[in-house]
Amino acid sequence: MGARTLHSYQGFYFRPAKGEQVRVTVHPAPEARGAVCARVVDGAGAPAADVLAMLFRVEEAGEYRLLGAACTDSAGYFAFGPLEADALYYIKLGGGSLRMREIELES
């Protein structure tokens, strides 16, 4: 398979055969936009799972516009991106009082 340049939001499919090890090398095109990858830990330094992280962009007039939300994984990590360079962002984290509730919908 020949080399090919990947641009933002491109990916690839693969289906490994039984016992096959697939090695992939990706050479992404230079990206002008940024990203934030963060980890949330508790007071003892342990990962904080299922914490709600909300990403806001701070507009010129000082208004906050919600861009997205994510929950931390079991290791406490979350990520947002791509983000525009030189824009001001604010991340708000949900506290420990956040309770998760499942809702099951039937069709």
Side-chain angles (χ1 to χ4, degrees):
M1 205 186 328
R4 151 184 133 130
T5 300
L6 293 178
H7 300 284
S8 296
Y9 298 111
Q10 287 189 345
F12 57 93
Y13 294 96
F14 68 97
R15 182 175 291 149
K18 184 176 181 179
E20 179 182 39
Q21 180 181 10
V22 178
R23 293 185 183 185
V24 178
T25 302
V26 178
H27 299 277
E31 176 64 74
R33 298 171 298 176
V36 60
C37 299
R39 186 173 192 217
V40 181
V41 296
D42 63 17
D50 298 321
V51 174
L52 178 64
M54 294 176 287
L55 175 69
F56 295 86
R57 180 172 173 156
V58 182
E59 302 294 342
E60 294 286 329
E63 297 175 354
Y64 291 69
R65 183 169 47 104
L66 179 64
L67 299 179
C71 285
T72 58
D73 65 12
S74 61
Y77 288 100
F78 70 90
F80 292 112
L83 305 173
E84 293 180 36
D86 298 320
L88 181 60
Y89 296 94
Y90 173 72
I91 293 177
K92 183 175 183 177
L93 299 174
S97 62
L98 182 65
R99 295 181 322 176
M100 301 300 274
R101 179 169 55 127
E102 283 189 31
I103 298 175
E104 184 176 333
L105 302 175
E106 294 183 25
S107 55

